[in-house]
Amino acid sequence: MTDLTSHFRGVFTALITPFRDGAVDHVAFAELVERQLEAGVSGLVPVGTTGEAATLSEEEAEDLIARTVKLAAGRAMVLAGAGANDTRKTIEKVQRAEDAGADAVLVVTPYYNKPTQAGLVAHYSAVAEATRLPVVLYSVPGRCGVEIAPETCATLAERHSNIVAIKEAGGTATRVTQIRQACGDRLIIHSGDDGLTLPFLSVGAIGVTSVVSNVAPREMVQLVRAWEAGDTARALELHELIAELTDGMFIESNPGPVKAALALSNLAGPELRLPMVPVSDASRQKIAAILGRFTHAAAAFQEMR
């Protein structure tokens, strides 16, 4: 687990999928990835929730994973989104991600079905047995309607050596303690909520799978590195620096706000695929104001350092 822990430590960016006139904008995607790498992120997460995986074709998803692997060129880990609410389809997605060169797969709980904990054990076991890649569990009850119980995490980590981590997006740091108590050091924990990154780190998580790092990769990387270096005061300053921006990225359903922020920064277009639509004018104005304040504060912060 030691080697894997070092690979999963730090900021993993949940990449958006930029679109132009309905198609994937590969130029903008490549530029976004390079910006992340220059900021020093540890991992890239294509084809996840933020990447609008639900409305990508299988061919688009596999191509984006392969492109991310090529663009990363070993500079960051590629953790590919590969979840579905059908176990057979999930396995197909995982195998496509493996074929595309991903380093690991992020597998969300089946949505809509609301499986029992026994169903989750059976689902993730089938996935783990179908791949050689490390598998990262993804618990996000606000979107999927089901949470992975700490005891279920323990069962899966004990039974399958390639189930190695969990992206925890249940909205409370208490879950980190519960998972650690159930699993010990058998399961790496990532924060799945940007605003809880620092609290999660303080109770045993080692990184974050981040939405806001699409916009502010440098500051997110600095936050985690400050914590790792024992500079808790600086980590707290950075947490407070990005707090309003983090809240702004969720004033409407993700990834609408983060795409609006990137469009305002001339980094990618605001286009989404139905049933997602661009944020309202009122939200866009709020995001513009938040982004302006953040940009000013971040520049002042970096100058002081």
Side-chain angles (χ1 to χ4, degrees):
M1 185 67 75
T2 303
D3 290 342
L4 279 175
T5 299
S6 66
H7 289 308
F8 280 97
R9 194 176 297 281
V11 176
F12 281 48
T13 299
L15 297 165
I16 68 152
T17 301
F19 297 115
R20 181 183 291 273
D21 298 326
V24 176
D25 185 343
H26 294 300
V27 172
F29 184 77
E31 291 173 350
L32 286 166
V33 168
E34 188 59 35
R35 182 169 179 263
Q36 298 299 314
L37 294 168
E38 289 176 356
V41 300
S42 301
L44 300 166
V45 187
V47 195
T49 304
T50 307
E52 296 176 77
T55 50
L56 294 174
S57 69
E58 296 296 344
E59 293 74 20
E60 286 174 326
E62 187 171 1
D63 179 65
L64 278 166
I65 295 167
R67 286 174 184 268
T68 306
V69 171
K70 184 176 181 179
L71 291 164
R75 292 177 287 171
M77 189 174 186
V78 177
L79 172 62
N85 66 340
D86 177 328
T87 303
R88 290 174 298 177
K89 289 181 180 178
T90 300
I91 289 170
E92 290 173 3
K93 287 175 179 284
V94 166
Q95 292 174 339
R96 282 175 176 260
E98 187 169 346
D99 291 342
D103 297 304
V105 286
L106 178 66
V107 181
V108 73
T109 53
Y111 37 86
Y112 187 76
N113 314 59
K114 296 187 74 174
T116 62
Q117 294 301 308
L120 290 177
V121 169
H123 173 76
Y124 281 112
S125 292
V127 171
E129 290 165 3
T131 183
R132 295 170 295 174
L133 292 180
V135 175
V136 179
L137 311 176
Y138 181 13
S139 184
V140 55
R143 280 189 180 263
C144 295
V146 61
E147 186 169 65
I148 308 174
E151 297 77 14
T152 300
C153 293
T155 297
L156 289 166
E158 184 175 347
R159 290 184 184 179
H160 305 283
S161 61
N162 62 333
I163 293 182
V164 299
I166 182 169
K167 176 185 174 183
E168 171 52 44
T172 170
T174 302
R175 281 269 298 174
V176 179
T177 299
Q178 292 171 340
I179 293 168
R180 283 176 55 82
Q181 288 175 334
C183 300
D185 63 358
R186 294 195 303 272
L187 203 67
I188 295 163
I189 302 172
H190 257 219
S191 173
D193 293 296
D194 281 303
L196 291 176
T197 300
L198 187 55
F200 269 46
L201 292 172
S202 74
V203 290
I206 67 166
V208 57
T209 303
S210 173
V211 174
V212 77
S213 60
N214 280 279
V215 181
R218 177 175 59 172
E219 289 74 19
M220 284 300 299
V221 168
Q222 289 175 337
L223 189 162
V224 176
R225 287 181 178 172
W227 176 264
E228 291 175 342
D231 191 346
T232 56
R234 186 163 191 252
L236 181 58
E237 287 179 327
L238 285 153
H239 167 79
E240 292 174 347
L241 174 67
I242 64 171
E244 186 184 25
L245 181 65
T246 295
D247 290 342
M249 294 304 91
F250 297 94
I251 59 174
E252 291 190 20
S253 294
N254 179 43
V258 69
K259 280 197 161 182
L262 290 169
L264 287 162
S265 303
N266 296 314
L267 294 171
E271 186 176 331
L272 294 98
R273 280 189 176 167
L274 291 172
M276 301 297 292
V277 295
V279 298
S280 68
D281 289 342
S283 291
R284 186 178 182 279
Q285 290 173 13
K286 289 179 183 178
I287 292 165
I290 290 169
L291 189 61
R293 288 191 291 271
F294 167 75
T295 301
H296 178 77
F301 180 85
Q302 298 299 338
E303 284 182 8
M304 288 190 297
R305 294 288 170 171

